[in-house]
Amino acid sequence: MSTSLELLPAIDISNGHSVRITQNTIDKDLEYGSPIEVAKEFIAQGAQWIHLVDLDQAFSNDNNRGLISEFFEFEKNLSIQLSGGIKNDETLNFALSTNAKRINLSTAALIDLDWVKKALGEHGPRLVVGLDVLGDRLIARGDAVDAGNLFEVLEELESFGVARYLVTDVSKDGMLRGPNLELLKSVLDKTSKPVVASGGVASLEDIQALKSLVGSGLEGLVLGKALYEGKFTLAQALEVAG
């Protein structure tokens, strides 16, 4: 069993630019330029994964598919976890047409568990189920629809053969106040499948605390705002996570 924590620096795309999200709000004042240039910097620091999010597809009727297709062409050896509004056949089919190693089903998809079961049955190993959590509720970001009680839905998902989960405490996301370790422990206690954490990391000490959960099934960590605000570098984070 690996003792290291896999790190996935996030690149959130809106209107063709790399931006940041705080809780459920896209911060249009925080633009970081070309997503491809941001990715190149992460690669230079040792990134093996990128968590690539189409925020426009998640939050509106728009999308960034042309840019995302271009993104997959520039660095074919980079492992990408593709996310953002993937909740029906049309959005999933586009995601499957890319070279994304993993595809994150939106929490909004959990409104239709029959569709989720079908998608997992057909493409299970490649799919990650996103669990965006507020309290004990699953709250679909973008449209803010309540997808049910976390643990009731998780119990049903376990019977579907989910390959892995992405767990985000929405109240922590982009706030730089530390991760919700208790939430992660409670999810890890209910599944034997790998879990990727997201939301709240503000320091290298937070990464060290999350690394302590690797033995319990925590596989990875999506890093966002802390990297963009210079709290630490990806290279520093990788050293701690390894």
mmCIF file of all heavy atoms in Angstrom, residues 1 25 69 71 116 122-123 154 157 172-174 200 204-205 212 234:
data_model
loop_
_atom_site.group_PDB
_atom_site.id
_atom_site.type_symbol
_atom_site.label_atom_id
_atom_site.label_comp_id
_atom_site.label_asym_id
_atom_site.label_seq_id
_atom_site.Cartn_x
_atom_site.Cartn_y
_atom_site.Cartn_z
ATOM 1 N N MET A 1 0.840 -1.202 0.000
ATOM 2 C CA MET A 1 0.000 0.000 0.000
ATOM 3 C C MET A 1 0.873 1.249 0.000
ATOM 4 O O MET A 1 1.849 1.342 0.747
ATOM 5 C CB MET A 1 -0.920 0.016 1.221
ATOM 6 C CG MET A 1 -1.805 1.255 1.323
ATOM 7 S SD MET A 1 -2.827 1.275 2.811
ATOM 8 C CE MET A 1 -3.952 -0.078 2.449
ATOM 9 N N THR A 25 -19.056 30.306 -5.711
ATOM 10 C CA THR A 25 -18.990 31.524 -6.508
ATOM 11 C C THR A 25 -17.708 31.568 -7.323
ATOM 12 O O THR A 25 -16.614 31.411 -6.777
ATOM 13 C CB THR A 25 -19.063 32.773 -5.604
ATOM 14 O OG1 THR A 25 -20.260 32.709 -4.827
ATOM 15 C CG2 THR A 25 -19.067 34.044 -6.433
ATOM 16 N N SER A 69 -10.354 20.498 -25.342
ATOM 17 C CA SER A 69 -9.792 19.615 -26.371
ATOM 18 C C SER A 69 -8.357 20.011 -26.687
ATOM 19 O O SER A 69 -7.476 19.151 -26.838
ATOM 20 C CB SER A 69 -10.651 19.684 -27.637
ATOM 21 O OG SER A 69 -11.940 19.172 -27.395
ATOM 22 N N PHE A 71 -6.349 21.509 -24.640
ATOM 23 C CA PHE A 71 -5.576 21.185 -23.444
ATOM 24 C C PHE A 71 -5.045 19.758 -23.512
ATOM 25 O O PHE A 71 -3.892 19.485 -23.174
ATOM 26 C CB PHE A 71 -6.470 21.355 -22.209
ATOM 27 C CG PHE A 71 -5.729 21.406 -20.908
ATOM 28 C CD1 PHE A 71 -5.419 22.610 -20.314
ATOM 29 C CD2 PHE A 71 -5.340 20.238 -20.267
ATOM 30 C CE1 PHE A 71 -4.743 22.662 -19.104
ATOM 31 C CE2 PHE A 71 -4.663 20.264 -19.065
ATOM 32 C CZ PHE A 71 -4.367 21.489 -18.479
ATOM 33 N N VAL A 116 -26.678 7.298 -12.930
ATOM 34 C CA VAL A 116 -25.348 7.082 -12.351
ATOM 35 C C VAL A 116 -25.012 5.598 -12.357
ATOM 36 O O VAL A 116 -23.892 5.202 -12.720
ATOM 37 C CB VAL A 116 -25.274 7.654 -10.920
ATOM 38 C CG1 VAL A 116 -23.963 7.261 -10.240
ATOM 39 C CG2 VAL A 116 -25.404 9.172 -10.943
ATOM 40 N N GLU A 122 -21.167 0.957 -17.264
ATOM 41 C CA GLU A 122 -20.537 0.989 -18.586
ATOM 42 C C GLU A 122 -19.094 1.496 -18.551
ATOM 43 O O GLU A 122 -18.271 1.082 -19.369
ATOM 44 C CB GLU A 122 -21.365 1.873 -19.517
ATOM 45 C CG GLU A 122 -22.748 1.307 -19.810
ATOM 46 C CD GLU A 122 -23.613 2.253 -20.616
ATOM 47 O OE1 GLU A 122 -23.183 3.399 -20.871
ATOM 48 O OE2 GLU A 122 -24.738 1.850 -20.999
ATOM 49 N N HIS A 123 -18.780 2.418 -17.636
ATOM 50 C CA HIS A 123 -17.472 3.088 -17.658
ATOM 51 C C HIS A 123 -16.828 3.167 -16.277
ATOM 52 O O HIS A 123 -15.939 3.990 -16.057
ATOM 53 C CB HIS A 123 -17.629 4.508 -18.208
ATOM 54 C CG HIS A 123 -18.426 4.597 -19.470
ATOM 55 N ND1 HIS A 123 -17.943 4.154 -20.688
ATOM 56 C CD2 HIS A 123 -19.689 5.057 -19.709
ATOM 57 C CE1 HIS A 123 -18.869 4.354 -21.621
ATOM 58 N NE2 HIS A 123 -19.929 4.898 -21.051
ATOM 59 N N LEU A 154 -24.495 7.582 -0.198
ATOM 60 C CA LEU A 154 -23.239 6.829 -0.242
ATOM 61 C C LEU A 154 -23.494 5.330 -0.118
ATOM 62 O O LEU A 154 -22.874 4.523 -0.825
ATOM 63 C CB LEU A 154 -22.305 7.308 0.882
ATOM 64 C CG LEU A 154 -20.936 6.636 0.977
ATOM 65 C CD1 LEU A 154 -20.147 6.808 -0.315
ATOM 66 C CD2 LEU A 154 -20.149 7.207 2.162
ATOM 67 N N LEU A 157 -24.634 4.198 -3.471
ATOM 68 C CA LEU A 157 -23.532 4.233 -4.427
ATOM 69 C C LEU A 157 -22.587 3.049 -4.234
ATOM 70 O O LEU A 157 -22.062 2.498 -5.204
ATOM 71 C CB LEU A 157 -22.751 5.543 -4.292
ATOM 72 C CG LEU A 157 -23.451 6.799 -4.785
ATOM 73 C CD1 LEU A 157 -22.679 8.050 -4.348
ATOM 74 C CD2 LEU A 157 -23.586 6.788 -6.308
ATOM 75 N N LYS A 172 -15.815 24.784 3.026
ATOM 76 C CA LYS A 172 -14.370 24.990 3.166
ATOM 77 C C LYS A 172 -13.711 25.423 1.867
ATOM 78 O O LYS A 172 -12.618 26.002 1.872
ATOM 79 C CB LYS A 172 -13.708 23.685 3.625
ATOM 80 C CG LYS A 172 -14.105 23.203 5.013
ATOM 81 C CD LYS A 172 -13.283 23.878 6.069
ATOM 82 C CE LYS A 172 -13.478 23.246 7.429
ATOM 83 N NZ LYS A 172 -12.618 23.880 8.447
ATOM 84 N N ASP A 173 -14.365 25.138 0.738
ATOM 85 C CA ASP A 173 -13.727 25.293 -0.567
ATOM 86 C C ASP A 173 -13.331 26.743 -0.838
ATOM 87 O O ASP A 173 -14.168 27.646 -0.845
ATOM 88 C CB ASP A 173 -14.682 24.803 -1.656
ATOM 89 C CG ASP A 173 -13.968 24.507 -2.958
ATOM 90 O OD1 ASP A 173 -12.774 24.195 -2.912
ATOM 91 O OD2 ASP A 173 -14.612 24.586 -4.014
ATOM 92 N N GLY A 174 -12.041 26.959 -1.049
ATOM 93 C CA GLY A 174 -11.528 28.291 -1.340
ATOM 94 C C GLY A 174 -11.411 29.211 -0.146
ATOM 95 O O GLY A 174 -11.060 30.387 -0.298
ATOM 96 N N GLY A 200 -10.263 23.563 1.345
ATOM 97 C CA GLY A 200 -9.819 24.081 2.626
ATOM 98 C C GLY A 200 -8.334 24.109 2.909
ATOM 99 O O GLY A 200 -7.892 24.786 3.840
ATOM 100 N N LEU A 204 1.162 23.612 4.454
ATOM 101 C CA LEU A 204 1.820 22.315 4.329
ATOM 102 C C LEU A 204 1.447 21.399 5.493
ATOM 103 O O LEU A 204 1.403 20.177 5.336
ATOM 104 C CB LEU A 204 3.334 22.505 4.254
ATOM 105 C CG LEU A 204 3.857 23.245 3.013
ATOM 106 C CD1 LEU A 204 5.359 23.507 3.129
ATOM 107 C CD2 LEU A 204 3.558 22.447 1.736
ATOM 108 N N GLU A 205 1.143 22.000 6.643
ATOM 109 C CA GLU A 205 0.703 21.212 7.789
ATOM 110 C C GLU A 205 -0.634 20.534 7.505
ATOM 111 O O GLU A 205 -0.863 19.402 7.953
ATOM 112 C CB GLU A 205 0.594 22.110 9.031
ATOM 113 C CG GLU A 205 1.924 22.567 9.610
ATOM 114 C CD GLU A 205 2.599 23.653 8.785
ATOM 115 O OE1 GLU A 205 1.902 24.316 7.973
ATOM 116 O OE2 GLU A 205 3.821 23.845 8.956
ATOM 117 N N SER A 212 -1.853 11.631 6.861
ATOM 118 C CA SER A 212 -2.036 10.653 7.940
ATOM 119 C C SER A 212 -3.251 9.761 7.709
ATOM 120 O O SER A 212 -3.404 8.729 8.369
ATOM 121 C CB SER A 212 -2.171 11.371 9.287
ATOM 122 O OG SER A 212 -3.420 12.049 9.379
ATOM 123 N N LEU A 234 3.802 24.014 -5.436
ATOM 124 C CA LEU A 234 3.466 22.612 -5.690
ATOM 125 C C LEU A 234 4.647 21.723 -5.367
ATOM 126 O O LEU A 234 4.484 20.631 -4.819
ATOM 127 C CB LEU A 234 3.027 22.418 -7.131
ATOM 128 C CG LEU A 234 2.671 20.978 -7.516
ATOM 129 C CD1 LEU A 234 1.525 20.434 -6.669
ATOM 130 C CD2 LEU A 234 2.338 20.887 -9.005
#
